[in-house]
Amino acid sequence: MKVLPVLLAALLAVDPACSLVCFSCKDQKSNFYCLKPTVCSDSDNYCVTMSASAGIGNMVDLGRTLNKGCSPICPGASIDLGVVAMGTHCCQSFLCNISAAGGGPQVSATVLGLGVLLSLLAALLRPSL
């Protein structure tokens, strides 16, 4: 009978290998539809949130797409090409990708205005033929 308590203590001391659990969704417009928990495979080490957006500051919103899920690697850093941007966020704990990664970066109206001003200036200073 003394074997049973020793065996029970040994089993309780062993930390079972648990798979990572992440929220997942594909091509959603809102984080509300991205709250489905998914058990990741043993090879997945990261919960990933990727958001792509297009727009000009707060003035013009051309849309946003949100993807969440499990990944064996953390994909590359965020990319901002002016009016189109893609934000990536990786984490490694239970349901850690609950947020929408800030909605992705967008170019500010100031940067856009400066670009337009420089384009006009270049056109005005160009010699006429």
Side-chain angles (χ1 to χ4, degrees):
M1 281 307 239
K2 292 187 180 201
V3 174
L4 186 59
V6 172
L7 183 58
L8 183 59
L11 287 174
L12 292 174
V14 174
D15 186 31
C18 295
S19 294
L20 184 63
V21 178
C22 303
F23 288 108
S24 65
C25 65
K26 292 213 181 276
D27 300 324
Q28 294 298 319
K29 302 287 182 208
S30 168
N31 195 46
F32 181 77
Y33 301 104
C34 292
L35 300 177
K36 175 187 167 196
T38 301
V39 177
C40 303
S41 71
D42 290 339
S43 64
D44 291 330
N45 298 317
Y46 295 93
C47 295
V48 178
T49 301
M50 292 189 292
S51 62
S53 62
I56 304 167
N58 294 327
M59 298 182 337
V60 179
D61 184 8
L62 299 176
R64 172 180 158 189
T65 302
L66 190 60
N67 291 290
K68 292 184 178 188
C70 308
S71 178
I73 61 166
C74 181
S78 300
I79 299 169
D80 189 350
L81 300 176
V83 294
V84 178
M86 182 168 181
T88 304
H89 175 73
C90 300
C91 54
Q92 293 181 290
S93 60
F94 181 79
L95 297 176
C96 60
N97 64 335
I98 191 167
S99 75
Q106 290 186 334
V107 68
S108 70
T110 305
V111 172
L112 182 67
L114 184 61
V116 170
L117 181 63
L118 289 175
S119 297
L120 289 173
L121 186 62
L124 290 173
L125 295 177
R126 191 174 88 190
S128 59
L129 296 174

